[in-house]
Amino acid sequence: MAAPLIHIFTATIKEGQLEGFKKYAQDHAEFAEAKHPGLLAFHQYVNEDGNKVTVVQVHPDADSMEFFMQEVVAQHGVQAYQYLEEGFESSEINGTPSDAILDGLRQYGVSFSVKPNHVGGFTRLQAV
């Protein structure tokens, strides 16, 4: 199995929007799960202060992330900006992204880092 493509980003939750964001986050996760059966993992974590969210996406490959950007983010993800400040505080891609992914992130005005060289590891989909 090739190394997965992992996108991790952190965004700021607008003041007073934590509870609304929590509802949206659950809806968005359910939408992503239903719309994108190839997505290996999708998790959202809020810090103790309730003002930052970190999102972790694990894709099997770059095609999966492209699909996510085109079909999930375009249809449902843009609603997040009711609750989140524009742009990401940080964005990191682990794995080899396609030019379309990089262009898409640039189009959103996102500053990001890329770590393309997988040097070891494994993916276990079920605990043994």
Side-chain angles (χ1 to χ4, degrees), residues 12-94:
T12 301
I13 300 169
K14 291 178 180 176
E15 189 171 334
Q17 294 297 318
L18 177 60
E19 293 309 313
F21 177 75
K22 286 180 181 179
K23 171 73 172 108
Y24 163 79
Q26 185 60 44
D27 291 345
H28 185 58
E30 290 171 6
F31 181 84
E33 184 177 25
K35 183 75 174 177
H36 191 352
L39 185 61
L40 298 175
F42 181 81
H43 298 279
Q44 302 165 89
Y45 300 90
V46 173
N47 68 350
E48 289 181 2
D49 292 336
N51 63 352
K52 305 284 183 194
V53 59
T54 296
V55 179
V56 179
Q57 303 169 13
V58 181
H59 297 273
D61 53 34
D63 289 344
S64 171
M65 186 165 168
E66 285 182 32
F67 180 86
F68 187 86
M69 292 171 76
Q70 294 167 357
E71 299 296 328
V72 176
V73 174
Q75 291 182 32
H76 196 265
V78 294
Q79 296 171 15
Y81 289 109
Q82 295 175 59
Y83 311 103
L84 301 178
E85 299 291 343
E86 293 276 336
F88 297 148
E89 185 172 299
S90 65
S91 181
E92 179 180 307
I93 297 175
N94 297 280

